[in-house]
Amino acid sequence: MSRIYIENDNAKITKREDMLLDVELYTGERLEGLTPRCLFPISGAHGYITLLKGRAEAAVIRNLKNLMPESKRAVEEVIYQHYFIPKITEIISANEKNGVLRLEVDTDRGICSFEVTDYYRSITVLFDRRVLIRDTNDNRYEIPNLDEIDYRSIANYIL
């Protein structure tokens, strides 16, 4: 079976209440209950989005920006729920005890506290000075620009 590519107006994509997608191809074929996942979530969130049926790939969206507005909106809403990452605007406190880093931060969604273990795997500084942090509950957080935040309190764990 060849790979199905979705681009421009060759398919209509709709969002279901269970945060899955249904696709109707211009050929009349229907693909139902699909889960979108970005193939390059950090470097290219708008291009190459795979649509999964369980663990199998059903189709690929080449570029989200080229879809019909209704289809684009449906995909964006479902992807946003999966890739929701609060942006850290301030580090209020950072304390380490017994190998567990406890952070209290202010984010674009409010103040929260979380813990990080295994800092070398859980805290990643990217080439553009963004920092991705994964806590012990597998939640993700982002510092959009390390140069725009007072990071002295966690510098030992990041750098």
Side-chain angles (χ1 to χ4, degrees):
M1 185 170 136
S2 64
R3 178 176 275 164
I4 298 171
Y5 286 101
I6 297 173
E7 48 195 345
N8 303 318
D9 61 353
N10 71 344
K12 179 182 178 185
I13 303 172
T14 55
K15 180 181 81 161
R16 297 176 10 173
E17 288 185 24
D18 57 1
M19 297 306 288
L20 297 175
L21 298 172
D22 292 335
V23 176
E24 184 175 348
L25 300 169
Y26 69 94
T27 61
E29 182 181 357
R30 290 188 54 82
L31 306 170
E32 297 180 338
L34 304 178
T35 304
R37 294 294 181 257
C38 296
L39 294 175
F40 305 101
I42 295 173
S43 62
H46 293 288
Y48 291 98
I49 297 168
T50 187
L51 299 175
L52 303 172
K53 180 70 175 183
R55 292 183 173 211
E57 182 179 272
V60 174
I61 298 171
R62 286 188 197 248
N63 191 331
L64 190 59
K65 294 178 181 180
N66 295 338
L67 295 181
M68 294 183 295
E70 306 84 30
S71 294
K72 177 183 173 189
R73 189 170 27 261
V75 175
E76 285 176 334
E77 287 176 10
V78 175
I79 283 180
Y80 176 78
Q81 291 298 318
H82 179 73
Y83 291 100
F84 171 71
I85 302 176
K87 309 284 189 254
I88 296 174
T89 56
E90 179 185 359
I91 298 168
I92 299 168
S93 68
N95 301 304
E96 190 266 340
K97 184 175 181 180
N98 299 327
V100 177
L101 176 63
R102 181 161 176 73
L103 292 167
E104 183 176 4
V105 299
D106 193 4
T107 72
D108 59 347
R109 303 294 181 180
I111 294 175
C112 67
S113 299
F114 57 90
E115 295 178 344
V116 176
T117 56
D118 192 6
Y119 332 129
Y120 301 107
R121 286 189 179 170
S122 301
I123 301 175
T124 307
V125 180
L126 302 173
F127 66 93
D128 59 356
R129 304 290 288 166
R130 281 187 300 149
V131 179
L132 299 177
I133 301 171
R134 187 177 298 269
D135 73 7
T136 54
N137 294 320
D138 212 26
N139 296 313
R140 295 167 291 194
Y141 301 87
E142 177 184 354
I143 299 173
N145 186 339
L146 193 55
D147 297 324
E148 294 177 2
I149 193 168
D150 177 17
Y151 64 90
R152 288 182 293 242
S153 58
I154 62 167
N156 293 335
Y157 311 105
I158 292 178
L159 304 175

